[in-house]
Amino acid sequence: IKYLTNIGLSRKINEDSLLIGETPINLQSFDIERSIDISLITKTFFVVADGMGGHGKGEIASGIAIHTLLDENINIIDETDVNKILYKAKKNLDNYVVKHPEALNLGTVVAGVYVKEDSAIIFNCGDSRVYKYDGMFCEQLSHDHSQLQQLKDNGIEQLKNINRNIVTSALIGNPSEPDLEIYTKTISLKNNDQYLICSDGVWECMSIEEMENCLSNNKLSIQCLYNKVIEAGAKDNFSVIVLKVCIDE
């Protein structure tokens, strides 16, 4: 498992948070990848939470989200359980707003992988993404909740002037807006497959071919992604986790 989170070149604070197994990472920024070599991982979350700067206090929202996922990682069996935990994270944001009314509408998008024994649950709410790289090609496994994706789903092809940053679902601290749109998918894990979890600060800065090229070099994949984002201007915070599946035959 390799990961990196960075403030970018234009922001004053990193509002992204990560959950790497039992390790929450909040309000940090580093330029060099970090890694954990764990031979046996089961019943574990790996999550990118991208705090929404436009709503204020994004770093608090993303922190509440990852800590909820960490605290509630008990007896998860299927996608329904993951949905319940994300609703619990939304409830915790609502409770924060009740105590801090000035934080109304603080929010975060999330994307992640919950690793079971030989399978995993992919999930997202918002426009952070999960990709699978099979050694040749990248496939997006998550499904964006964004205005752009809605138009694509409805068959609209003229998308040049659409704001890519308008999300249609996120974990928002607002008790009067209880609904969430959450995407989940259960997959089988295959040996040597890699899973990339990233914020829009990563995927917006490169083509799918550039992403594939970075992931093809396992030892330097994160640093390659980092370099691509910096070269593109790194206008946003950006975070990435790369998981490689190693299954004993």
Side-chain angles (χ1 to χ4, degrees):
I1 299 115
K2 298 181 289 185
Y3 58 95
L4 182 146
T5 184
N6 190 275
I7 194 171
L9 300 178
S10 299
R11 300 294 177 89
K12 295 181 180 180
I13 188 171
N14 188 5
E15 295 181 301
D16 290 1
S17 297
L18 305 180
L19 181 57
I20 311 293
E22 296 184 354
T23 304
I25 298 168
N26 181 240
L27 288 170
Q28 296 187 41
S29 178
F30 34 93
D31 301 326
I32 305 297
E33 70 177 53
R34 299 183 182 181
S35 62
I36 304 174
D37 185 10
I38 304 175
S39 58
L40 181 62
I41 301 174
T42 58
K43 300 180 180 179
T44 305
F45 276 114
F46 298 93
V47 183
V48 168
D50 179 358
M52 298 165 64
H55 290 273
K57 299 186 183 295
E59 73 284 358
I60 294 174
S62 64
I64 289 173
I66 62 166
H67 279 95
T68 303
L69 288 161
L70 177 61
D71 294 343
E72 298 294 323
N73 183 11
I74 303 169
N75 299 324
I76 295 175
I77 297 173
D78 55 25
E79 296 173 30
T80 301
D81 296 320
V82 173
N83 272 269
K84 288 178 180 177
I85 294 175
L86 290 175
Y87 268 94
K88 179 65 181 293
K90 196 272 195 259
K91 183 66 175 177
N92 287 342
L93 288 171
D94 291 344
N95 292 340
Y96 182 87
V97 165
V98 171
K99 295 178 181 178
H100 306 275
E102 74 283 358
L104 181 67
N105 291 324
L106 85 164
T108 184
V109 301
V110 295
V113 177
Y114 181 75
V115 177
K116 300 169 75 174
E117 290 186 0
D118 56 359
S119 65
I121 299 171
I122 309 299
F123 62 91
N124 74 286
C125 178
D127 61 354
S128 288
R129 291 181 175 179
V130 181
Y131 294 88
K132 181 180 83 169
Y133 177 68
D134 64 4
M136 294 271 302
F137 303 106
C138 270
E139 174 190 2
Q140 183 181 338
L141 299 180
S142 55
H143 189 81
D144 292 352
H145 301 116
S146 67
Q147 186 181 77
L148 179 64
Q149 187 62 52
Q150 278 189 343
L151 293 172
K152 287 181 178 178
D153 292 344
N154 290 327
I156 298 173
E157 298 180 0
Q158 299 298 324
L159 302 171
K160 288 185 179 180
N161 297 319
I162 300 300
N163 187 337
R164 299 167 67 94
N165 297 316
I166 298 177
V167 297
T168 55
S169 185
L171 305 181
I172 301 291
N174 187 333
S176 67
E177 296 182 6
D179 292 334
L180 288 177
E181 187 176 359
I182 299 167
Y183 179 81
T184 57
K185 178 180 183 177
T186 300
I187 60 167
S188 297
L189 295 176
K190 295 182 180 179
N191 208 26
N192 294 319
D193 279 351
Q194 295 182 64
Y195 293 89
L196 168 67
I197 311 165
C198 64
S199 61
D200 64 342
V202 175
W203 62 259
E204 281 192 337
C205 289
M206 66 191 74
S207 67
I208 196 76
E209 291 80 15
E210 289 173 317
M211 188 180 290
E212 289 167 348
N213 183 58
C214 285
L215 292 171
S216 69
N217 188 339
N218 185 50
K219 291 184 178 179
L220 298 175
S221 57
I222 295 272
Q223 210 60 41
C224 176
L225 294 166
Y226 170 87
N227 292 340
K228 292 288 184 187
V229 176
I230 294 297
E231 289 168 7
K235 295 179 180 179
D236 196 0
N237 306 148
F238 62 97
S239 298
V240 59
I241 302 170
V242 175
L243 313 175
K244 185 174 182 181
V245 179
C246 299
I247 300 173
D248 293 332
E249 300 294 341

